[in-house]
Amino acid sequence: MATDLEQARQSIGGLSVESVTETGEGRRDMVVNMGPQHPSTHGVLRVVLDLQGENIVGTDVQIGYLHRGIEKLSEARTYTQVIPLTDRTDYTAAMTGNQGLCVAVERLMELEVPPRGRYIRTMIAELQRLASHLIWLGTHAMDIGAATVFLYCFRERERILDFFEAFSGARLTYSYYRVGGVAGDAPPGILQQIYEFTNYFVDRLAENEELLTGNDIWLARTQGVGIISAEEAVAIGLTGPSLRGSGLAYDIRKAEPYEAYADMDFEIPVFPDGDVFARYRVRIEEMKQSVRIIRQCIEHMPDGPVNVQDSRVTPPKREVAMTHMESMINHFMWNIHSFPTPKGEVYSAIESPKGELGYYIVSDGSNKPYRLRIRPPSFCNLQALPLLVRGQMIADVVACIGSIDIVLGEVDR
Amino acid sequence: MGLDPDALLDRLQAHFPEAILQRAVARGEATALVRTGDLVAVATYCRDEGELRFDHLSDIAAVDWPRRPERFDVVYHLYSIPANHRLRLKVHAADGQPVPTVTAVWPAANWLEREVYDLMGVEFAGHPDLRRIMMWDDYPYFPLRKEFPTEGEPDEPADYHVSFPPGTERV
Amino acid sequence: MEWYYPFIVLAKVVIVLIGVSLAAYINVYFFRKELGRMQSRMGPNRVGPEGLLQSLADAVKMLIKEDTIPADSDRLLFKIGPALLIIPIFVAFAVVPFSNDWSFGQTVLHPVISNTNVGLLIVLALTSMGVYGVVMGGWASNNKYGMMGSLRASAQMISYEVTLGLSVIGVVMLAHSLNLGDIVEGQASGTFATWYIVRQFPAFIIFFAGIMAESARPPFDLPEAESELVAGYHVEYSGARFFIYQTAEWSAMLLWVCVAVILFFGGWLPPFGALSFIPGWLWFIAKCYALIFTIIWVGATWPRIRYDELMTLNWKVFLPIGIANFFIVAAWKTIAASLGVGV
């Protein structure tokens, strides 16, 4: 078996290698390399499938095609410079990538973000959750063959990206969060627009749900497929919506509230079945909860600064820097050296759209992390794929990959 | 929150007076330095003990301290979903000294340990499938070590792992 | 027989060939534009006015692209695969009547190349040949996705041909003929109430699912399921051969739609006698496009069915219904005959 897998590993893409035929139980007729170039592996994922007809008898997941060494690169950059790198981990949810790092560094430095900053960050994170789940819904539906939902989802996501553009100037890699706050306050009038968008969004979500939730083929393709029990899910390290689809209500926003989640009134949707359909339902319901959180953030948006008023991490205001010598030097030094962090280590986890996004930072007291480890939810969730596809068919593999919502940028970093 | 960090460590130390070499609480996080040989025993206790119940292995990371004789820290972040508390276990390992695997305790450790092995070069004794996970199989370096330059080693083989099976001609 | 008879047949062949190709071309545009509208996007709108020339541009592009043949493929089978698929489909159009007879004074022109008495059998026989082209193409590509696509295609096509054949038996029994023109005339009564879709509704549902499976339209597009098998049996094809596969697929869909209109929708008959001033061929085209629109609509709404579910649907749902339908029609005819009532 090992040598056959070895042989399969040496081939590329769907290129044909000698098919292996064995006799007896668990015999496989064919080894298929699904990926790294494949329309529905969500990037450069490669799954080596041992097939018996269309049934799967063995799975080996190969990753690393998008490995860019972000953890290593971070060691040569100041904390502010690491923020753009975090954009490039989970690029469908760059805001929460930023957020995870900023929350971790704030915890390391024991900073308290002012209320307005926290509310804006919470709102942005939830918008990002909507955008990320929309990509998930669209691609997941596309994998199962519902191309229309894909286009509808991207239409809605476009509106969210417009908001992000107004906040940060970027549409994919935002780098909007800063240690101690955000890059800038909300543009005037945008909160009202976002509020109106949530009304529109709820209607559109219902439309998408109508296309899928009650659709017989969708049910046949998702119900009872890719089942994982709660015990297995915890043991293999599933987190986020994928875990909640197995019936465990573990959500870091509730368990260890960060940002403004302690003030928010929302529920954690849980579905006990543990199949593809349960994970689908969890994410759909989660989008509705996100809308609730966004509305609460806008309704109770406090006034005041968005950044922590701490000279360690916040540069002097430009007017001050241009008129006072000391401030100018300070401003200059801040831009050159950024800020040092106290010696120590911290592990801080947030609930990203994919699951538990953890940042483990070891600081040696300098302005750069000595070691920055990202605990990527997609990586740990992807580990469950062989469990999910046991005894399923090829068509279910793409459904299972879609249902754990992986992003290869985050798997490989 | 579940148990507070000090109570957690007290409990652990009471049960393993020898194996817990150091303990620290900083920023509300409990850290225990575990003797490398006792890791699996401590991990199993953490998972099964009624009040600890660390059922979820969040993460395994390795930190390189090249000037130390035992240069690697392998850091385990544990979380208990039912009790809602966290714990950090650490073991030290010298270069080439294997660390016992915790895959039998938490299956989630499989890929996490593979990643640590791939990028930092820490070996895990008893791991069922210790292959490289990010880099290709015959890659000669461990890129997260401190001596590895950020820009990469210049002599990386260019035509990595694109090999064709015998009998296939390139046209 | 007049001396010019062969020339008329030749002219008909040319007209049908051109007409079918043109219709396939228009279908592609219609499909894209309509799918675009359903998916709230523009569809083709750059080449020509309203994107009308997009299909032409694609055709030219595909025809002048390099024709690659993968290494270690079976070169002969790889080359003849597309031809084996397209030829039977085009031949099958020979028995399809597109309109009622045109009379020019004394001369009557049948708008069908070959007005044979076993027209429906010929259509079924020829279209089941098409599966060879698919299987050969997929197998000869020396590609696993191609092979799995062709295996799926052969299983799917052969299975659905069984129910397809069963579903038309009722129609044939009611019409007392296998001649497609006679089947249409058998539905004539002045209103749509005597069309076989009314009298044979379950058979129509099976037939419609069958033609969607035969021409591999979503949700039955498993042989080329993009998200699973990349492109299925034609994954290794490019250039002109790929173009032939595409044309064959579209022509097959057109053929099946024509047959469906003839069998169930009264062909060129108007739905009400009062509308008979509109020429028959216009009715025929309108009905065809209504069916094609339905196919697009279903494809835009439904996700792709899984392989085993497809087989279950066919063998455990459609086949029993088809057999039951057959017996019901037979029983009804016997009873009606013994009572002396016409059917």
Side-chain angles (χ1 to χ4, degrees):
Chain A
M1 175 118 178
T3 51
D4 300 329
L5 277 179
E6 198 61 49
Q7 196 182 16
R9 253 176 247 128
Q10 282 172 1
S11 72
I12 53 167
L15 194 89
S16 178
V17 291
E18 285 299 305
S19 295
V20 186
T21 316
E22 291 171 359
T23 47
E25 282 299 305
R27 136 192 103 86
R28 69 184 172 287
D29 306 325
M30 190 157 67
V31 177
V32 166
N33 281 281
M34 208 177 210
Q37 289 94 16
H38 190 280
S40 53
T41 52
H42 295 220
V44 283
L45 171 69
R46 177 164 156 220
V47 187
V48 182
L49 296 171
D50 293 346
L51 294 179
Q52 187 182 348
E54 288 229 2
N55 296 311
I56 290 150
V57 293
T59 323
D60 186 31
V61 182
Q62 304 269 309
I63 59 170
Y65 292 92
L66 204 58
H67 179 64
R68 293 148 296 174
I70 282 177
E71 290 178 12
K72 180 77 179 176
L73 289 173
S74 306
E75 292 172 11
R77 274 157 180 77
T78 64
Y79 289 96
T80 317
Q81 285 170 336
V82 175
I83 293 173
L85 291 181
T86 63
D87 282 335
R88 281 141 184 95
T89 53
D90 180 358
Y91 40 75
T92 63
M95 287 287 192
T96 40
N98 298 169
Q99 190 190 21
L101 177 75
C102 293
V103 169
V105 179
E106 280 151 19
R107 210 157 146 202
L108 182 67
M109 300 179 73
E110 288 167 286
L111 294 171
E112 179 84 12
V113 181
R116 189 178 174 82
R118 276 191 284 135
Y119 270 67
I120 287 184
R121 283 162 64 148
T122 309
M123 182 187 73
I124 293 280
E126 291 306 314
L127 275 173
Q128 181 68 82
R129 195 178 309 279
L130 289 184
S132 171
H133 280 2
L134 280 174
I135 291 197
W136 157 78
L137 178 60
T139 51
H140 185 39
M142 181 100 144
D143 288 346
I144 300 186
T148 306
V149 176
F150 174 76
L151 287 142
Y152 285 2
C153 288
F154 270 72
R155 181 185 64 192
E156 270 77 273
R157 176 175 175 262
E158 207 65 13
R159 296 278 301 271
I160 299 176
L161 294 197
D162 287 343
F163 296 135
F164 286 165
E165 192 178 7
F167 274 99
S168 69
R171 292 177 69 86
L172 187 69
T173 51
Y174 314 107
S175 298
Y176 177 63
Y177 287 68
R178 290 290 182 278
V179 175
V182 289
D185 203 343
I190 194 118
L191 297 180
Q192 183 61 31
Q193 286 176 34
I194 294 175
Y195 201 90
E196 284 159 16
F197 166 77
T198 57
N199 294 329
Y200 161 85
F201 178 80
V202 171
D203 291 346
R204 294 283 83 79
L205 186 64
E207 186 180 286
N208 282 328
E209 242 195 306
E210 208 173 302
L211 272 168
L212 298 176
T213 311
N215 189 317
D216 289 339
I217 296 186
W218 179 263
L219 296 179
R221 287 297 305 275
T222 54
Q223 279 183 331
V225 172
I227 297 179
I228 187 163
S229 69
E231 293 76 36
E232 283 175 324
V234 174
I236 203 70
L238 271 183
T239 48
S242 309
L243 178 65
R244 294 193 283 276
S246 291
L248 267 175
Y250 169 47
D251 189 319
I252 302 174
R253 292 176 294 174
K254 282 275 193 210
E256 302 161 281
Y258 54 98
E259 306 282 27
Y261 285 111
D263 308 347
M264 298 296 156
D265 176 25
F266 66 102
E267 284 150 26
I268 310 172
V270 176
F271 288 86
D273 295 340
D275 56 2
V276 173
F277 188 64
R279 294 189 278 276
Y280 157 81
R281 289 292 299 278
V282 165
R283 289 195 179 89
I284 293 281
E285 295 302 318
E286 219 172 85
M287 284 200 251
K288 295 174 185 164
Q289 298 300 324
S290 291
V291 166
R292 271 178 78 184
I293 299 175
I294 292 167
R295 285 179 179 163
Q296 288 172 49
C297 284
I298 296 171
E299 278 161 8
H300 305 119
M301 181 66 72
D303 288 328
V306 292
N307 275 304
V308 61
Q309 299 303 299
D310 188 319
S311 58
R312 284 184 301 168
V313 295
T314 315
K317 282 205 163 55
R318 196 166 172 81
E319 308 87 69
V320 188
M322 291 298 133
T323 46
H324 294 79
M325 192 60 203
E326 288 298 323
S327 294
M328 188 174 186
I329 294 171
N330 191 357
H331 190 268
F332 182 76
M333 295 301 282
W334 193 91
N335 274 301
I336 297 292
H337 294 299
S338 192
F339 52 85
T341 52
K343 218 169 164 172
E345 59 189 340
V346 70
Y347 177 83
S348 143
I350 67 160
E351 183 77 18
S352 99
K354 312 284 188 290
E356 176 182 345
L357 173 64
Y359 279 84
Y360 172 53
I361 301 175
V362 180
S363 168
D364 58 354
S366 74
N367 57 352
K368 293 169 185 167
Y370 181 79
R371 171 86 170 92
L372 187 143
R373 156 79 186 165
I374 305 169
R375 190 267 183 203
S378 296
F379 178 85
C380 298
N381 289 356
L382 183 58
Q383 202 179 174
L385 184 63
L387 285 180
L388 296 179
V389 302
R390 324 163 262 210
Q392 309 277 348
M393 304 181 86
I394 290 192
D396 298 326
V397 176
V398 294
C400 289
I401 293 175
S403 78
I404 50 174
D405 192 15
I406 50 157
V407 170
L408 266 291
E410 189 178 62
V411 172
D412 293 346
R413 283 153 289 135
Chain B
M1 290 299 272
L3 290 172
D4 72 286
D6 281 307
L8 257 176
L9 291 173
D10 288 343
R11 198 168 289 261
L12 210 57
Q13 213 160 16
H15 200 268
F16 293 102
E18 300 284 308
I20 306 297
L21 304 175
Q22 270 177 39
R23 52 178 282 180
V25 175
R27 298 177 186 86
E29 297 179 359
T31 309
L33 179 65
V34 180
R35 203 163 55 191
T36 311
D38 297 320
L39 176 65
V40 177
V42 175
T44 314
Y45 176 76
C46 284
R47 184 192 63 180
D48 297 336
E49 163 63 27
E51 274 183 89
L52 301 180
R53 276 194 290 172
F54 285 105
D55 50 354
H56 174 56
L57 174 68
S58 274
D59 193 22
I60 301 179
V63 188
D64 185 15
W65 306 93
R67 298 213 184 105
R68 224 168 55 184
E70 291 185 310
R71 64 182 283 185
F72 298 114
D73 278 351
V74 181
V75 189
Y76 300 79
H77 289 102
L78 315 182
Y79 178 72
S80 165
I81 293 176
N84 190 14
H85 46 221
R86 285 187 187 274
L87 172 66
R88 180 186 296 131
L89 296 181
K90 261 188 203 181
V91 293
H92 286 175
D95 197 357
Q97 176 202 351
V99 175
T101 179
V102 292
T103 43
V105 188
W106 297 286
N110 183 352
W111 280 22
L112 293 165
E113 285 181 354
R114 275 177 70 184
E115 191 185 346
V116 170
Y117 162 72
D118 183 7
L119 300 180
M120 202 65 103
V122 180
E123 281 183 32
F124 291 90
H127 190 285
D129 184 26
L130 198 63
R131 292 179 276 144
R132 285 196 177 259
I133 188 163
M134 297 290 176
M135 316 305 283
W136 52 102
D137 285 349
D138 45 3
Y139 185 70
Y141 309 106
F142 298 110
L144 268 183
R145 290 189 176 187
K146 284 290 174 186
E147 72 262 19
F148 189 87
T150 309
E151 66 274 13
E153 287 285 349
D155 55 351
E156 287 181 15
D159 55 339
Y160 57 89
H161 84 314
V162 179
S163 55
F164 286 79
T168 314
E169 294 168 37
R170 296 188 74 166
V171 186
Chain C
M1 195 175 286
E2 306 289 342
W3 60 271
Y4 53 78
Y5 182 73
F7 295 99
I8 288 187
V9 171
L10 206 61
K12 280 181 186 171
V13 168
V14 171
I15 289 170
V16 167
L17 271 184
I18 293 175
V20 167
S21 310
L22 205 65
Y25 171 95
I26 293 166
N27 280 357
V28 175
Y29 175 76
F30 180 65
F31 185 87
R32 288 182 174 174
K33 216 49 184 177
E34 205 46 48
L35 197 62
R37 202 176 61 78
M38 286 174 187
Q39 299 180 337
S40 87
R41 58 190 171 88
M42 302 298 285
N45 65 348
R46 283 289 174 269
V47 190
E50 291 293 310
L52 269 169
L53 300 178
Q54 181 66 51
S55 310
L56 183 67
D58 285 349
V60 170
K61 182 196 77 176
M62 280 195 265
L63 287 173
I64 61 176
K65 270 200 160 184
E66 188 193 350
D67 177 28
T68 54
I69 298 179
D72 285 352
S73 64
D74 191 321
R75 296 176 81 89
L76 177 70
L77 293 186
F78 188 84
K79 283 176 182 170
I80 63 172
L84 277 181
L85 180 61
I86 200 166
I87 289 172
I89 288 163
F90 271 83
V91 171
F93 274 104
V95 297
V96 175
F98 296 100
S99 176
N100 45 355
D101 295 350
W102 292 325
S103 24
F104 304 94
Q106 295 295 309
T107 325
V108 175
L109 189 69
H110 305 291
V112 52
I113 297 173
S114 168
N115 193 14
T116 167
N117 278 332
V118 288
L120 187 56
L121 269 190
I122 289 184
V123 169
L124 289 175
L126 283 171
T127 48
S128 46
M129 296 274 294
V131 72
Y132 287 109
V134 171
V135 171
M136 278 186 192
W139 186 78
S141 303
N142 187 27
N143 181 303
K144 289 175 178 176
Y145 292 125
M147 198 187 82
M148 283 164 62
S150 64
L151 283 177
R152 280 182 177 193
S154 50
Q156 174 176 337
M157 288 184 176
I158 291 169
S159 305
Y160 272 80
E161 256 152 32
V162 175
T163 44
L164 207 61
L166 260 179
S167 67
V168 300
I169 287 181
V171 169
V172 172
M173 285 162 74
L174 289 177
H176 296 280
S177 173
L178 284 165
N179 180 307
L180 292 173
D182 290 350
I183 290 175
V184 172
E185 293 305 332
Q187 306 174 51
S189 72
T191 69
F192 65 90
T194 47
W195 291 359
Y196 291 141
I197 182 167
V198 181
R199 294 200 254 165
Q200 284 284 299
F201 189 71
F204 170 70
I205 296 297
I206 298 171
F207 187 81
F208 193 66
I211 65 173
M212 290 191 57
E214 282 285 303
S215 49
R217 305 312 319 169
F220 301 112
D221 57 340
L222 286 97
E224 48 201 277
E226 183 190 295
S227 56
E228 296 151 30
L229 301 183
V230 189
Y233 59 87
H234 53 56
V235 67
E236 292 284 1
Y237 280 87
S238 66
R241 280 179 235 283
F242 178 70
F243 176 68
I244 294 174
Y245 265 129
Q246 292 287 304
T247 315
E249 252 174 48
W250 287 103
S251 313
M253 190 173 113
L254 191 67
L255 174 71
W256 283 118
V257 166
C258 289
V259 174
V261 166
I262 287 167
L263 292 183
F264 293 98
F265 289 91
W268 49 82
L269 301 170
F272 298 104
L275 291 169
S276 53
F277 62 91
I278 298 172
W281 56 274
L282 262 182
W283 279 119
F284 192 84
I285 292 176
K287 286 172 186 173
C288 282
Y289 275 93
L291 267 190
I292 291 175
F293 177 81
T294 315
I295 290 178
I296 299 171
W297 194 7
V298 171
T301 316
W302 292 76
R304 186 181 303 112
I305 198 165
R306 205 174 56 203
Y307 181 68
D308 55 333
E309 293 162 357
L310 180 91
M311 289 296 153
T312 310
L313 187 67
N314 183 52
W315 293 106
K316 294 189 182 163
V317 180
F318 287 162
L319 192 73
I321 294 178
I323 293 173
N325 182 55
F326 166 67
F327 279 112
I328 288 168
V329 173
W332 180 32
K333 277 185 78 80
T334 316
I335 294 165
S338 63
L339 295 175
V341 187
V343 273

